[in-house]
PDB file of all heavy atoms in Angstrom:
ATOM      1  N   ASN A 450     108.630 182.678 203.670  1.00  0.00           N
ATOM      2  CA  ASN A 450     108.731 183.941 204.392  1.00  0.00           C
ATOM      3  C   ASN A 450     107.446 184.174 205.198  1.00  0.00           C
ATOM      4  O   ASN A 450     106.384 184.373 204.617  1.00  0.00           O
ATOM      5  CB  ASN A 450     108.940 185.069 203.378  1.00  0.00           C
ATOM      6  CG  ASN A 450     109.393 186.356 204.023  1.00  0.00           C
ATOM      7  OD1 ASN A 450     109.530 186.440 205.231  1.00  0.00           O
ATOM      8  ND2 ASN A 450     109.617 187.375 203.212  1.00  0.00           N
ATOM      9  N   PRO A 451     107.520 184.176 206.541  1.00  0.00           N
ATOM     10  CA  PRO A 451     106.298 184.158 207.360  1.00  0.00           C
ATOM     11  C   PRO A 451     105.711 185.540 207.643  1.00  0.00           C
ATOM     12  O   PRO A 451     105.350 185.857 208.783  1.00  0.00           O
ATOM     13  CB  PRO A 451     106.773 183.493 208.647  1.00  0.00           C
ATOM     14  CG  PRO A 451     108.180 183.965 208.792  1.00  0.00           C
ATOM     15  CD  PRO A 451     108.729 184.041 207.389  1.00  0.00           C
ATOM     16  N   LEU A 452     105.593 186.360 206.614  1.00  0.00           N
ATOM     17  CA  LEU A 452     105.004 187.687 206.795  1.00  0.00           C
ATOM     18  C   LEU A 452     103.510 187.616 206.508  1.00  0.00           C
ATOM     19  O   LEU A 452     103.071 186.905 205.603  1.00  0.00           O
ATOM     20  CB  LEU A 452     105.677 188.706 205.877  1.00  0.00           C
ATOM     21  CG  LEU A 452     107.207 188.793 205.973  1.00  0.00           C
ATOM     22  CD1 LEU A 452     107.736 189.912 205.085  1.00  0.00           C
ATOM     23  CD2 LEU A 452     107.655 188.980 207.423  1.00  0.00           C
ATOM     24  N   ASP A 453     102.741 188.381 207.267  1.00  0.00           N
ATOM     25  CA  ASP A 453     101.286 188.282 207.155  1.00  0.00           C
ATOM     26  C   ASP A 453     100.666 189.594 207.635  1.00  0.00           C
ATOM     27  O   ASP A 453     101.360 190.505 208.102  1.00  0.00           O
ATOM     28  CB  ASP A 453     100.782 187.115 208.002  1.00  0.00           C
ATOM     29  CG  ASP A 453      99.355 186.726 207.686  1.00  0.00           C
ATOM     30  OD1 ASP A 453      99.004 186.696 206.493  1.00  0.00           O
ATOM     31  OD2 ASP A 453      98.596 186.460 208.626  1.00  0.00           O
ATOM     32  N   GLY A 454      99.348 189.696 207.518  1.00  0.00           N
ATOM     33  CA  GLY A 454      98.629 190.851 208.044  1.00  0.00           C
ATOM     34  C   GLY A 454      98.959 192.147 207.350  1.00  0.00           C
ATOM     35  O   GLY A 454      99.052 193.202 208.005  1.00  0.00           O
ATOM     36  N   PHE A 455      99.117 192.120 206.051  1.00  0.00           N
ATOM     37  CA  PHE A 455      99.476 193.321 205.303  1.00  0.00           C
ATOM     38  C   PHE A 455      98.322 194.323 205.316  1.00  0.00           C
ATOM     39  O   PHE A 455      97.159 193.958 205.124  1.00  0.00           O
ATOM     40  CB  PHE A 455      99.845 192.966 203.868  1.00  0.00           C
ATOM     41  CG  PHE A 455     101.065 192.089 203.774  1.00  0.00           C
ATOM     42  CD1 PHE A 455     100.942 190.703 203.737  1.00  0.00           C
ATOM     43  CD2 PHE A 455     102.335 192.635 203.755  1.00  0.00           C
ATOM     44  CE1 PHE A 455     102.049 189.887 203.681  1.00  0.00           C
ATOM     45  CE2 PHE A 455     103.460 191.823 203.690  1.00  0.00           C
ATOM     46  CZ  PHE A 455     103.317 190.446 203.653  1.00  0.00           C
ATOM     47  N   ALA A 456      98.658 195.595 205.551  1.00  0.00           N
ATOM     48  CA  ALA A 456      97.635 196.639 205.613  1.00  0.00           C
ATOM     49  C   ALA A 456      98.247 197.970 205.189  1.00  0.00           C
ATOM     50  O   ALA A 456      99.466 198.174 205.285  1.00  0.00           O
ATOM     51  CB  ALA A 456      97.059 196.745 207.017  1.00  0.00           C
ATOM     52  N   ILE A 457      97.398 198.867 204.734  1.00  0.00           N
ATOM     53  CA  ILE A 457      97.821 200.222 204.397  1.00  0.00           C
ATOM     54  C   ILE A 457      97.626 201.093 205.629  1.00  0.00           C
ATOM     55  O   ILE A 457      96.538 201.139 206.204  1.00  0.00           O
ATOM     56  CB  ILE A 457      97.003 200.783 203.215  1.00  0.00           C
ATOM     57  CG1 ILE A 457      97.167 199.890 201.980  1.00  0.00           C
ATOM     58  CG2 ILE A 457      97.429 202.222 202.912  1.00  0.00           C
ATOM     59  CD1 ILE A 457      98.586 199.791 201.455  1.00  0.00           C
ATOM     60  N   ASP A 458      98.684 201.771 206.054  1.00  0.00           N
ATOM     61  CA  ASP A 458      98.594 202.631 207.223  1.00  0.00           C
ATOM     62  C   ASP A 458      97.768 203.874 206.916  1.00  0.00           C
ATOM     63  O   ASP A 458      97.450 204.172 205.756  1.00  0.00           O
ATOM     64  CB  ASP A 458      99.996 203.026 207.694  1.00  0.00           C
ATOM     65  CG  ASP A 458     100.662 201.900 208.472  1.00  0.00           C
ATOM     66  OD1 ASP A 458      99.997 200.870 208.698  1.00  0.00           O
ATOM     67  OD2 ASP A 458     101.833 202.054 208.851  1.00  0.00           O
ATOM     68  N   GLY A 459      97.478 204.603 207.962  1.00  0.00           N
ATOM     69  CA  GLY A 459      96.591 205.754 207.846  1.00  0.00           C
ATOM     70  C   GLY A 459      97.012 206.804 206.849  1.00  0.00           C
ATOM     71  O   GLY A 459      96.170 207.483 206.260  1.00  0.00           O
ATOM     72  N   ASP A 460      98.331 206.955 206.645  1.00  0.00           N
ATOM     73  CA  ASP A 460      98.776 207.971 205.699  1.00  0.00           C
ATOM     74  C   ASP A 460      98.556 207.565 204.251  1.00  0.00           C
ATOM     75  O   ASP A 460      98.738 208.371 203.335  1.00  0.00           O
ATOM     76  CB  ASP A 460     100.252 208.306 205.920  1.00  0.00           C
ATOM     77  CG  ASP A 460     101.168 207.099 205.736  1.00  0.00           C
ATOM     78  OD1 ASP A 460     100.685 206.030 205.271  1.00  0.00           O
ATOM     79  OD2 ASP A 460     102.363 207.203 206.046  1.00  0.00           O
ATOM     80  N   GLY A 461      98.172 206.319 204.027  1.00  0.00           N
ATOM     81  CA  GLY A 461      97.870 205.858 202.671  1.00  0.00           C
ATOM     82  C   GLY A 461      99.076 205.500 201.843  1.00  0.00           C
ATOM     83  O   GLY A 461      98.937 204.957 200.742  1.00  0.00           O
ATOM     84  N   GLY A 462     100.277 205.758 202.350  1.00  0.00           N
ATOM     85  CA  GLY A 462     101.474 205.494 201.569  1.00  0.00           C
ATOM     86  C   GLY A 462     102.428 204.525 202.231  1.00  0.00           C
ATOM     87  O   GLY A 462     103.573 204.389 201.788  1.00  0.00           O
ATOM     88  N   SER A 463     101.997 203.850 203.287  1.00  0.00           N
ATOM     89  CA  SER A 463     102.850 202.909 204.005  1.00  0.00           C
ATOM     90  C   SER A 463     102.168 201.552 204.092  1.00  0.00           C
ATOM     91  O   SER A 463     100.954 201.464 204.303  1.00  0.00           O
ATOM     92  CB  SER A 463     103.147 203.423 205.419  1.00  0.00           C
ATOM     93  OG  SER A 463     103.808 204.669 205.370  1.00  0.00           O
ATOM     94  N   VAL A 464     102.967 200.507 203.945  1.00  0.00           N
ATOM     95  CA  VAL A 464     102.462 199.141 204.053  1.00  0.00           C
ATOM     96  C   VAL A 464     103.036 198.523 205.327  1.00  0.00           C
ATOM     97  O   VAL A 464     104.258 198.427 205.475  1.00  0.00           O
ATOM     98  CB  VAL A 464     102.856 198.304 202.819  1.00  0.00           C
ATOM     99  CG1 VAL A 464     102.362 196.868 202.986  1.00  0.00           C
ATOM    100  CG2 VAL A 464     102.311 198.918 201.545  1.00  0.00           C
TER     101      VAL A 464
END
Side-chain angles (χ1 to χ4, degrees):
N450 194 358
L452 306 184
D453 194 42
F455 297 93
I457 301 298
D458 282 356
D460 60 9
S463 300
V464 178

